[in-house]
């Protein structure tokens, strides 16, 4: 898959990125002067202790929130110059997400959860692709089951299929094994990297799992909202 972002630019970049929120005790600094660039096809892990700003950084990089200061670029677009609707249009069909809590729609079947983003993207082959990706994650037999009828591992496999089904240029994953036991989590990790390698997608994930982070080409480590350059690899 070829990214439509200019080849000379990273597909994701942050410059002097900071995020602060107001509290009763004053401003709380969540992120401070983060510098980051991710190339097309790269796999990057964002690690750090709970409360270090990992998920906040992921949400900012994906354009789900706006920073207090600094610049953000996604697929060649300056996110600072886009409103919420324009950021959503930029993500549509080009960005995939995998969440710790799966985020499947409870009223939809496994197949329908994969089908929905394809239909929203206007894909003429939406049902065919949804069925293909359901098979890729080994759950064709569960096509008509709703999330409550699926195990945690099965739900996350559906979430992976949904994330990759639109041929995204970037997949963002937030603690994708956080709600799974060790054995199930290991299988999900294998599947995630198998799908990512075959699709040649840029993968940016948040994790506290060293085994998962080690599978990525590079990692950054956050400490109290700052990138610990000594721990980056």
């Amino acid at each position: 898959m070829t990214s439509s972002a200019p080849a000379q630019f990273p597909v994701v970049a942050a410059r002097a990125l900071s995020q602060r929120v107001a509290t009763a005790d004053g401003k709380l600094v969540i992120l401070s002067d983060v510098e980051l660039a991710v190339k097309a096809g790269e796999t990057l892990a964002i690690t750090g202790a709970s409360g270090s700003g990992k998920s906040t950084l992921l949400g900012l990089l994906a354009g789900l929130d706006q920073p207090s200061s600094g610049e953000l670029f996604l697929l060649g677009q300056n996110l600072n110059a886009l409103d919420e609707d324009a950021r959503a249009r930029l993500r549509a069909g080009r960005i995939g997400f995998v969440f710790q809590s799966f985020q499947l729609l409870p009223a939809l079947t496994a197949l329908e959860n994969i089908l929905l983003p394809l239909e929203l993207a206007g894909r003429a082959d939406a049902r065919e692709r949804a069925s293909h990706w359901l098979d890729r994650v080994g759950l064709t037999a569960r096509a008509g089951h709703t999330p409550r009828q699926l195990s945690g591992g099965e739900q996350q496999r559906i979430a992976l299929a949904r994330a990759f089904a639109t041929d995204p240029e970037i997949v963002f994953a937030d603690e994708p094994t956080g709600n799974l036991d060790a054995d199930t989590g290991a299988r999900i990790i294998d599947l995630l990297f198998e799908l990512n390698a075959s699709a040649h997608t840029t993968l940016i994930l948040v994790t506290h799992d060293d085994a998962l982070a080690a599978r990525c080409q590079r990692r950054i480590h956050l400490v109290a909202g700052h990138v610990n350059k000594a721990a980056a690899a």
Side-chain angles (χ1 to χ4, degrees):
M1 179 178 56
T2 302
S3 171
S4 58
Q8 66 268 34
F9 295 117
V11 292
V12 178
R15 298 175 184 169
L17 187 68
S18 295
Q19 186 73 317
R20 300 175 293 274
V21 297
T23 71
D25 299 319
K27 291 283 187 181
L28 173 65
V29 178
I30 300 175
L31 293 170
S32 182
D33 293 324
V34 172
E35 301 278 342
L36 176 66
V38 185
K39 298 179 293 185
E42 190 173 12
T43 56
L44 173 73
I46 302 171
T47 63
S50 178
S52 60
K54 304 186 301 298
S55 293
T56 297
L57 177 57
L58 195 78
L60 290 173
L61 295 177
L64 299 176
D65 199 2
Q66 291 183 298
S68 301
S69 60
E71 288 188 301
L72 273 170
F73 297 86
L74 178 64
L75 297 170
Q77 296 291 312
N78 186 339
L79 292 181
N80 301 63
L82 303 180
D83 62 19
E84 185 175 348
D85 288 342
R87 296 196 307 272
R89 288 193 296 271
L90 175 62
R91 290 192 300 268
R94 303 178 70 187
I95 304 293
F97 292 96
V98 182
F99 300 97
Q100 176 178 347
S101 56
F102 319 132
Q103 298 286 357
L104 301 179
L105 294 177
L108 300 185
T109 65
L111 180 63
E112 289 166 345
N113 267 283
I114 302 169
L115 183 61
L116 181 60
L118 291 162
E119 290 181 329
L120 291 175
R123 294 289 295 256
D125 60 345
R127 184 163 292 273
E128 179 183 349
R129 285 197 60 80
S131 296
H132 165 76
W133 279 96
L134 190 64
D135 183 62
R136 284 288 305 273
V137 298
L139 289 175
T140 297
R142 308 288 262 166
H145 290 70
T146 59
R148 66 181 180 83
Q149 296 171 309
L150 302 172
S151 69
E154 287 171 334
Q155 289 185 63
Q156 196 61 302
R157 283 154 68 186
I158 296 299
L160 289 178
R162 179 184 59 187
F164 284 98
T166 58
D167 290 328
E169 293 164 65
I170 305 169
V171 168
F172 291 95
D174 191 357
E175 298 282 10
T177 60
N179 278 349
L180 305 173
D181 62 70
D183 289 343
T184 303
R187 291 194 292 272
I188 290 297
I189 290 172
D190 288 342
L191 181 60
L192 171 61
F193 281 89
E194 175 191 331
L195 297 177
N196 192 71
S198 65
H200 306 292
T201 306
T202 305
L203 175 64
I204 302 174
L205 61 87
V206 160
T207 185
H208 64 275
D209 184 342
D210 283 338
L212 175 52
R215 297 283 294 269
C216 293
Q217 296 167 334
R218 186 162 63 96
R219 77 170 76 183
I220 63 168
H221 187 74
L222 293 180
V223 177
H226 294 264
V227 174
N228 182 352
K229 293 181 173 59

